[in-house]
Amino acid sequence: MARFNSPEWASRIDVQVASGVIDAISRPRLTTFGMEPSPDCDLIAVVARHGRNVAVCEAFYPLLHFLEIVVRNRIHDVFSAHFGTTEWYRLAWIHPKETALIDKAERELREHRKESTPDNIVAALTFGFWCSLFNTRYEPRDGNEPWPTLIRRVLPRAPRYARTRNGIQGRLEKARKIRNRVFHHEPISHIRDLPAQHAEMVELLGWFSPEVKEHLSHLCRFDQVWNDRLVSA
């Protein structure tokens, strides 16, 4: 069985702990981390790899937290001002796909006995909804669609080359995929360019709000955790 010197938490994994963790999490869930039916399977290494993924996901959380909240609030504020109503999501240019998500959010609010106020609806809508607003269907058809007119107001610090609906959509979709993997407890520590993706998402956050990007820089431990790799004893 492998033993580890680093990170410190990995050095504390022994066979008893590894066996208990594997029984609790389930062997099928750990196949991505090297779990095999063979009696020679290194249980300590499997649990250490899984633990590293948990640590990396945890380190990614502050960025995901701020990005999701800032994106939805920025869009809501700018759209409300531009369209003259905090219920802009009820206007005719909203596509049926997004209308269905709004209806679902309202149903969930009713189930929790909450009012369907604009603030509650904005908070209840999924990150996927906000990403979908950058779809090509929100470019001009009858003159009321938001893009490209509102790009600069929604992302005030985006450089000129980045002020395109398509480019922002691509970045948000990358962020959404990582967000879903983290929130659904799926592996991300195997993604080789994860530091580059993290840096791109930090840059994107700064285009929405440089102040939040600055605040994040004092909270985020991603680089430290990513570089603290498993080291065998």
Side-chain angles (χ1 to χ4, degrees):
M1 294 285 177
R3 296 303 295 266
F4 297 93
N5 285 332
S6 181
E8 190 275 335
W9 57 263
S11 69
R12 297 176 178 270
I13 304 171
D14 57 24
V15 174
Q16 181 179 354
V17 168
S19 297
V21 170
I22 288 170
D23 287 343
I25 294 177
S26 86
R27 292 172 181 262
R29 183 75 184 177
L30 294 168
T31 54
T32 305
F33 304 100
M35 189 70 232
E36 299 174 349
S38 169
D40 296 327
C41 180
D42 191 332
L43 305 185
I44 292 177
V46 170
V47 171
R49 294 187 199 107
H50 177 266
R52 171 167 167 76
N53 187 70
V54 171
V56 171
C57 287
E58 177 193 26
F60 225 110
Y61 179 79
L63 172 58
L64 297 173
H65 170 90
F66 284 122
L67 186 62
E68 182 164 350
I69 292 175
V70 168
V71 167
R72 76 188 188 200
N73 288 349
R74 187 71 189 171
I75 292 174
H76 178 59
D77 290 346
V78 171
F79 282 21
S80 295
H82 179 77
F83 294 108
T85 175
T86 55
E87 295 189 339
W88 52 266
Y89 44 80
R90 301 193 191 283
L91 297 177
W93 56 265
I94 294 291
H95 192 275
K97 287 186 177 181
E98 281 66 60
T99 298
L101 295 175
I102 294 163
D103 292 343
K104 180 182 177 183
E106 290 190 290
R107 287 195 302 272
E108 292 174 350
L109 287 172
R110 286 194 297 270
E111 289 172 3
H112 291 88
R113 298 182 179 180
K114 293 183 178 181
E115 294 183 43
S116 293
T117 63
D119 283 345
N120 285 344
I121 290 175
V122 166
L125 287 166
T126 65
F127 189 49
F129 169 85
W130 301 103
C131 294
S132 72
L133 291 180
F134 286 86
N135 189 278
T136 186
R137 57 181 170 268
Y138 291 110
E139 289 186 325
R141 295 191 307 275
D142 58 19
N144 291 321
E145 291 75 20
W147 316 126
T149 304
L150 300 181
I151 283 280
R152 191 167 185 176
R153 290 170 61 186
V154 172
L155 296 99
R157 293 302 181 91
R160 183 181 295 274
Y161 75 85
R163 291 184 210 140
T164 65
R165 178 209 53 79
N166 185 57
I168 300 302
Q169 180 191 29
R171 285 189 177 236
L172 283 172
E173 278 301 308
K174 282 185 179 181
R176 185 184 64 82
K177 289 177 181 178
I178 292 292
R179 180 256 187 213
N180 286 349
R181 295 193 71 85
V182 170
F183 285 22
H184 296 157
H185 317 300
E186 296 179 4
I188 64 169
S189 58
H190 66 290
I191 302 174
R192 293 186 178 182
D193 70 339
L194 195 63
Q197 291 195 42
H198 186 274
E200 283 187 2
M201 290 166 63
V202 170
E203 182 179 47
L204 177 62
L205 176 65
W207 294 349
F208 283 94
S209 171
E211 295 82 8
V212 174
K213 178 185 176 183
E214 173 67 18
H215 181 50
L216 174 70
S217 70
H218 303 302
L219 292 170
C220 186
R221 301 185 304 111
F222 176 79
D223 290 340
Q224 173 188 344
V225 171
W226 179 261
N227 292 326
D228 194 11
R229 297 177 178 275
L230 293 169
V231 177
S232 299

